[in-house]
mmCIF file of all heavy atoms in Angstrom:
data_model
loop_
_atom_site.group_PDB
_atom_site.id
_atom_site.type_symbol
_atom_site.label_atom_id
_atom_site.label_comp_id
_atom_site.label_asym_id
_atom_site.label_seq_id
_atom_site.Cartn_x
_atom_site.Cartn_y
_atom_site.Cartn_z
ATOM 1 N N LEU A 230 -144.240 80.577 -38.390
ATOM 2 C CA LEU A 230 -145.389 79.891 -38.959
ATOM 3 C C LEU A 230 -146.502 79.765 -37.924
ATOM 4 O O LEU A 230 -147.680 79.977 -38.226
ATOM 5 C CB LEU A 230 -144.959 78.507 -39.457
ATOM 6 C CG LEU A 230 -146.039 77.635 -40.098
ATOM 7 C CD1 LEU A 230 -146.702 78.342 -41.263
ATOM 8 C CD2 LEU A 230 -145.437 76.307 -40.550
ATOM 9 N N ARG A 231 -146.125 79.428 -36.703
ATOM 10 C CA ARG A 231 -147.118 79.368 -35.626
ATOM 11 C C ARG A 231 -147.780 80.723 -35.417
ATOM 12 O O ARG A 231 -149.007 80.814 -35.235
ATOM 13 C CB ARG A 231 -146.451 78.898 -34.329
ATOM 14 C CG ARG A 231 -147.372 78.919 -33.115
ATOM 15 C CD ARG A 231 -146.595 78.568 -31.847
ATOM 16 N NE ARG A 231 -146.232 77.170 -31.811
ATOM 17 C CZ ARG A 231 -147.027 76.197 -31.341
ATOM 18 N NH1 ARG A 231 -148.229 76.501 -30.868
ATOM 19 N NH2 ARG A 231 -146.625 74.953 -31.339
ATOM 20 N N ARG A 232 -146.978 81.775 -35.468
ATOM 21 C CA ARG A 232 -147.508 83.122 -35.221
ATOM 22 C C ARG A 232 -148.581 83.521 -36.228
ATOM 23 O O ARG A 232 -149.517 84.256 -35.898
ATOM 24 C CB ARG A 232 -146.351 84.150 -35.271
ATOM 25 C CG ARG A 232 -146.788 85.589 -35.069
ATOM 26 C CD ARG A 232 -147.270 85.829 -33.638
ATOM 27 N NE ARG A 232 -147.972 87.105 -33.519
ATOM 28 C CZ ARG A 232 -149.300 87.227 -33.599
ATOM 29 N NH1 ARG A 232 -150.057 86.150 -33.794
ATOM 30 N NH2 ARG A 232 -149.870 88.396 -33.470
ATOM 31 N N LEU A 233 -148.472 83.027 -37.462
ATOM 32 C CA LEU A 233 -149.444 83.385 -38.483
ATOM 33 C C LEU A 233 -150.856 82.929 -38.137
ATOM 34 O O LEU A 233 -151.836 83.559 -38.550
ATOM 35 C CB LEU A 233 -149.029 82.778 -39.834
ATOM 36 C CG LEU A 233 -147.843 83.408 -40.549
ATOM 37 C CD1 LEU A 233 -147.485 82.596 -41.790
ATOM 38 C CD2 LEU A 233 -148.138 84.855 -40.935
ATOM 39 N N PHE A 234 -150.969 81.836 -37.374
ATOM 40 C CA PHE A 234 -152.290 81.239 -37.154
ATOM 41 C C PHE A 234 -152.705 81.130 -35.688
ATOM 42 O O PHE A 234 -153.852 80.782 -35.403
ATOM 43 C CB PHE A 234 -152.315 79.831 -37.773
ATOM 44 C CG PHE A 234 -152.196 79.830 -39.265
ATOM 45 C CD1 PHE A 234 -150.980 79.550 -39.877
ATOM 46 C CD2 PHE A 234 -153.286 80.127 -40.075
ATOM 47 C CE1 PHE A 234 -150.865 79.545 -41.266
ATOM 48 C CE2 PHE A 234 -153.180 80.130 -41.457
ATOM 49 C CZ PHE A 234 -151.964 79.840 -42.055
ATOM 50 N N GLU A 235 -151.817 81.423 -34.749
ATOM 51 C CA GLU A 235 -152.110 81.109 -33.356
ATOM 52 C C GLU A 235 -153.237 81.952 -32.768
ATOM 53 O O GLU A 235 -153.868 81.536 -31.776
ATOM 54 C CB GLU A 235 -150.841 81.272 -32.500
ATOM 55 C CG GLU A 235 -150.296 82.683 -32.444
ATOM 56 C CD GLU A 235 -148.987 82.773 -31.673
ATOM 57 O OE1 GLU A 235 -148.526 81.711 -31.177
ATOM 58 O OE2 GLU A 235 -148.422 83.870 -31.569
ATOM 59 N N ASP A 236 -153.532 83.120 -33.338
ATOM 60 C CA ASP A 236 -154.608 83.950 -32.799
ATOM 61 C C ASP A 236 -155.989 83.502 -33.272
ATOM 62 O O ASP A 236 -156.999 83.886 -32.675
ATOM 63 C CB ASP A 236 -154.404 85.416 -33.184
ATOM 64 C CG ASP A 236 -153.231 86.055 -32.455
ATOM 65 O OD1 ASP A 236 -152.782 85.475 -31.454
ATOM 66 O OD2 ASP A 236 -152.769 87.123 -32.904
ATOM 67 N N SER A 237 -156.049 82.707 -34.337
ATOM 68 C CA SER A 237 -157.352 82.345 -34.906
ATOM 69 C C SER A 237 -157.620 80.848 -34.913
ATOM 70 O O SER A 237 -158.773 80.428 -35.041
ATOM 71 C CB SER A 237 -157.452 82.869 -36.345
ATOM 72 O OG SER A 237 -156.323 82.489 -37.114
ATOM 73 N N LEU A 238 -156.581 80.015 -34.776
ATOM 74 C CA LEU A 238 -156.747 78.570 -34.818
ATOM 75 C C LEU A 238 -156.056 77.924 -33.620
ATOM 76 O O LEU A 238 -155.146 78.506 -33.025
ATOM 77 C CB LEU A 238 -156.163 77.989 -36.113
ATOM 78 C CG LEU A 238 -156.690 78.535 -37.448
ATOM 79 C CD1 LEU A 238 -155.940 77.870 -38.609
ATOM 80 C CD2 LEU A 238 -158.187 78.327 -37.580
ATOM 81 N N GLN A 239 -156.472 76.721 -33.279
ATOM 82 C CA GLN A 239 -155.801 75.948 -32.249
ATOM 83 C C GLN A 239 -154.660 75.161 -32.901
ATOM 84 O O GLN A 239 -154.906 74.278 -33.730
ATOM 85 C CB GLN A 239 -156.787 74.979 -31.580
ATOM 86 C CG GLN A 239 -157.903 75.666 -30.811
ATOM 87 C CD GLN A 239 -158.891 74.669 -30.229
ATOM 88 O OE1 GLN A 239 -158.886 73.499 -30.588
ATOM 89 N NE2 GLN A 239 -159.744 75.138 -29.333
ATOM 90 N N ILE A 240 -153.434 75.494 -32.543
ATOM 91 C CA ILE A 240 -152.276 74.831 -33.139
ATOM 92 C C ILE A 240 -152.101 73.478 -32.481
ATOM 93 O O ILE A 240 -151.846 73.384 -31.267
ATOM 94 C CB ILE A 240 -151.001 75.678 -32.963
ATOM 95 C CG1 ILE A 240 -151.234 77.122 -33.440
ATOM 96 C CG2 ILE A 240 -149.839 75.026 -33.713
ATOM 97 C CD1 ILE A 240 -151.607 77.246 -34.887
ATOM 98 N N GLU A 241 -152.222 72.405 -33.255
ATOM 99 C CA GLU A 241 -152.105 71.059 -32.713
ATOM 100 C C GLU A 241 -150.685 70.500 -32.812
ATOM 101 O O GLU A 241 -150.264 69.711 -31.967
ATOM 102 C CB GLU A 241 -153.075 70.116 -33.443
ATOM 103 C CG GLU A 241 -154.547 70.476 -33.218
ATOM 104 C CD GLU A 241 -155.494 69.515 -33.897
ATOM 105 O OE1 GLU A 241 -155.054 68.767 -34.804
ATOM 106 O OE2 GLU A 241 -156.684 69.495 -33.528
ATOM 107 N N ARG A 242 -149.967 70.895 -33.855
ATOM 108 C CA ARG A 242 -148.612 70.358 -34.024
ATOM 109 C C ARG A 242 -147.834 71.240 -34.976
ATOM 110 O O ARG A 242 -148.374 71.728 -35.972
ATOM 111 C CB ARG A 242 -148.662 68.939 -34.578
ATOM 112 C CG ARG A 242 -147.305 68.251 -34.676
ATOM 113 C CD ARG A 242 -147.461 66.771 -34.963
ATOM 114 N NE ARG A 242 -147.851 66.501 -36.335
ATOM 115 C CZ ARG A 242 -147.105 65.800 -37.201
ATOM 116 N NH1 ARG A 242 -145.935 65.319 -36.829
ATOM 117 N NH2 ARG A 242 -147.535 65.579 -38.410
ATOM 118 N N VAL A 243 -146.566 71.456 -34.702
ATOM 119 C CA VAL A 243 -145.633 72.099 -35.624
ATOM 120 C C VAL A 243 -144.475 71.125 -35.803
ATOM 121 O O VAL A 243 -143.883 70.659 -34.823
ATOM 122 C CB VAL A 243 -145.123 73.451 -35.089
ATOM 123 C CG1 VAL A 243 -144.136 74.063 -36.080
ATOM 124 C CG2 VAL A 243 -146.278 74.411 -34.840
ATOM 125 N N CYS A 244 -144.141 70.798 -37.059
ATOM 126 C CA CYS A 244 -143.123 69.786 -37.289
ATOM 127 C C CYS A 244 -142.379 70.092 -38.589
ATOM 128 O O CYS A 244 -142.731 71.009 -39.321
ATOM 129 C CB CYS A 244 -143.752 68.391 -37.372
ATOM 130 S SG CYS A 244 -144.819 68.170 -38.812
ATOM 131 N N VAL A 245 -141.341 69.328 -38.856
ATOM 132 C CA VAL A 245 -140.617 69.372 -40.125
ATOM 133 C C VAL A 245 -141.057 68.161 -40.936
ATOM 134 O O VAL A 245 -140.714 67.029 -40.585
ATOM 135 C CB VAL A 245 -139.091 69.350 -39.915
ATOM 136 C CG1 VAL A 245 -138.374 69.354 -41.265
ATOM 137 C CG2 VAL A 245 -138.644 70.542 -39.076
ATOM 138 N N PRO A 246 -141.842 68.355 -42.012
ATOM 139 C CA PRO A 246 -142.295 67.209 -42.793
ATOM 140 C C PRO A 246 -141.170 66.608 -43.621
ATOM 141 O O PRO A 246 -140.115 67.226 -43.813
ATOM 142 C CB PRO A 246 -143.389 67.806 -43.693
ATOM 143 C CG PRO A 246 -142.997 69.233 -43.848
ATOM 144 C CD PRO A 246 -142.361 69.627 -42.538
ATOM 145 N N TYR A 247 -141.423 65.414 -44.115
ATOM 146 C CA TYR A 247 -140.419 64.668 -44.882
ATOM 147 C C TYR A 247 -139.803 65.511 -45.993
ATOM 148 O O TYR A 247 -138.575 65.579 -46.141
ATOM 149 C CB TYR A 247 -141.076 63.415 -45.461
ATOM 150 C CG TYR A 247 -140.190 62.623 -46.406
ATOM 151 C CD1 TYR A 247 -139.337 61.630 -45.928
ATOM 152 C CD2 TYR A 247 -140.207 62.867 -47.782
ATOM 153 C CE1 TYR A 247 -138.526 60.903 -46.782
ATOM 154 C CE2 TYR A 247 -139.397 62.146 -48.649
ATOM 155 C CZ TYR A 247 -138.566 61.176 -48.150
ATOM 156 O OH TYR A 247 -137.764 60.467 -49.000
ATOM 157 N N GLY A 248 -140.643 66.157 -46.805
ATOM 158 C CA GLY A 248 -140.157 66.883 -47.974
ATOM 159 C C GLY A 248 -139.480 68.196 -47.669
ATOM 160 O O GLY A 248 -138.968 68.862 -48.582
ATOM 161 N N LEU A 249 -139.444 68.596 -46.373
ATOM 162 C CA LEU A 249 -138.782 69.841 -45.984
ATOM 163 C C LEU A 249 -137.658 69.579 -44.977
ATOM 164 O O LEU A 249 -137.239 70.489 -44.256
ATOM 165 C CB LEU A 249 -139.807 70.825 -45.402
ATOM 166 C CG LEU A 249 -140.878 71.322 -46.383
ATOM 167 C CD1 LEU A 249 -141.879 72.231 -45.674
ATOM 168 C CD2 LEU A 249 -140.253 72.061 -47.557
ATOM 169 N N HIS A 250 -137.142 68.367 -44.958
ATOM 170 C CA HIS A 250 -136.012 68.016 -44.091
ATOM 171 C C HIS A 250 -134.804 68.888 -44.447
ATOM 172 O O HIS A 250 -134.637 69.304 -45.606
ATOM 173 C CB HIS A 250 -135.669 66.536 -44.289
ATOM 174 C CG HIS A 250 -134.657 66.025 -43.329
ATOM 175 N ND1 HIS A 250 -133.297 66.225 -43.490
ATOM 176 C CD2 HIS A 250 -134.795 65.313 -42.179
ATOM 177 C CE1 HIS A 250 -132.648 65.668 -42.488
ATOM 178 N NE2 HIS A 250 -133.522 65.102 -41.676
ATOM 179 N N PRO A 251 -133.954 69.206 -43.473
ATOM 180 C CA PRO A 251 -132.778 70.046 -43.750
ATOM 181 C C PRO A 251 -131.897 69.557 -44.890
ATOM 182 O O PRO A 251 -131.220 70.364 -45.537
ATOM 183 C CB PRO A 251 -132.015 70.023 -42.416
ATOM 184 C CG PRO A 251 -133.071 69.850 -41.385
ATOM 185 C CD PRO A 251 -134.099 68.948 -42.015
ATOM 186 N N ILE A 252 -131.906 68.254 -45.174
ATOM 187 C CA ILE A 252 -131.048 67.752 -46.250
ATOM 188 C C ILE A 252 -131.446 68.347 -47.595
ATOM 189 O O ILE A 252 -130.598 68.554 -48.472
ATOM 190 C CB ILE A 252 -131.084 66.207 -46.302
ATOM 191 C CG1 ILE A 252 -129.965 65.676 -47.206
ATOM 192 C CG2 ILE A 252 -132.432 65.699 -46.746
ATOM 193 C CD1 ILE A 252 -128.568 66.024 -46.761
ATOM 194 N N PHE A 253 -132.726 68.662 -47.772
ATOM 195 C CA PHE A 253 -133.159 69.266 -49.024
ATOM 196 C C PHE A 253 -132.626 70.696 -49.154
ATOM 197 O O PHE A 253 -132.246 71.133 -50.243
ATOM 198 C CB PHE A 253 -134.690 69.257 -49.121
ATOM 199 C CG PHE A 253 -135.279 67.892 -49.306
ATOM 200 C CD1 PHE A 253 -135.753 67.172 -48.218
ATOM 201 C CD2 PHE A 253 -135.339 67.304 -50.556
ATOM 202 C CE1 PHE A 253 -136.304 65.906 -48.374
ATOM 203 C CE2 PHE A 253 -135.881 66.036 -50.731
ATOM 204 C CZ PHE A 253 -136.356 65.337 -49.633
ATOM 205 N N ALA A 254 -132.598 71.437 -48.043
ATOM 206 C CA ALA A 254 -132.046 72.791 -48.064
ATOM 207 C C ALA A 254 -130.554 72.765 -48.382
ATOM 208 O O ALA A 254 -130.055 73.554 -49.188
ATOM 209 C CB ALA A 254 -132.294 73.476 -46.722
ATOM 210 N N LEU A 255 -129.840 71.821 -47.742
ATOM 211 C CA LEU A 255 -128.398 71.719 -47.966
ATOM 212 C C LEU A 255 -128.099 71.376 -49.422
ATOM 213 O O LEU A 255 -127.236 72.003 -50.061
ATOM 214 C CB LEU A 255 -127.807 70.663 -47.031
ATOM 215 C CG LEU A 255 -126.299 70.443 -47.129
ATOM 216 C CD1 LEU A 255 -125.537 71.716 -46.774
ATOM 217 C CD2 LEU A 255 -125.874 69.290 -46.202
ATOM 218 N N GLN A 256 -128.816 70.381 -49.968
ATOM 219 C CA GLN A 256 -128.587 69.978 -51.355
ATOM 220 C C GLN A 256 -128.908 71.110 -52.320
ATOM 221 O O GLN A 256 -128.184 71.346 -53.292
ATOM 222 C CB GLN A 256 -129.434 68.741 -51.674
ATOM 223 C CG GLN A 256 -129.167 68.118 -53.049
ATOM 224 C CD GLN A 256 -130.007 68.730 -54.155
ATOM 225 O OE1 GLN A 256 -130.979 69.443 -53.911
ATOM 226 N NE2 GLN A 256 -129.620 68.467 -55.398
ATOM 227 N N TRP A 257 -129.994 71.825 -52.063
ATOM 228 C CA TRP A 257 -130.410 72.933 -52.926
ATOM 229 C C TRP A 257 -129.314 73.994 -52.983
ATOM 230 O O TRP A 257 -128.938 74.475 -54.056
ATOM 231 C CB TRP A 257 -131.712 73.513 -52.389
ATOM 232 C CG TRP A 257 -132.411 74.510 -53.267
ATOM 233 C CD1 TRP A 257 -131.878 75.264 -54.272
ATOM 234 C CD2 TRP A 257 -133.795 74.863 -53.212
ATOM 235 N NE1 TRP A 257 -132.835 76.079 -54.837
ATOM 236 C CE2 TRP A 257 -134.014 75.837 -54.205
ATOM 237 C CE3 TRP A 257 -134.855 74.457 -52.410
ATOM 238 C CZ2 TRP A 257 -135.280 76.423 -54.400
ATOM 239 C CZ3 TRP A 257 -136.101 75.031 -52.612
ATOM 240 C CH2 TRP A 257 -136.300 75.990 -53.602
#
Side-chain angles (χ1 to χ4, degrees):
L230 180 56
R231 175 186 288 274
R232 178 68 193 95
L233 287 174
F234 294 100
E235 64 184 359
D236 289 344
S237 51
L238 304 178
Q239 295 177 347
I240 309 299
E241 296 182 343
R242 185 168 74 118
V243 179
C244 66
V245 178
Y247 174 88
L249 295 177
H250 188 279
I252 193 61
F253 290 96
L255 181 62
Q256 187 272 346
W257 190 339

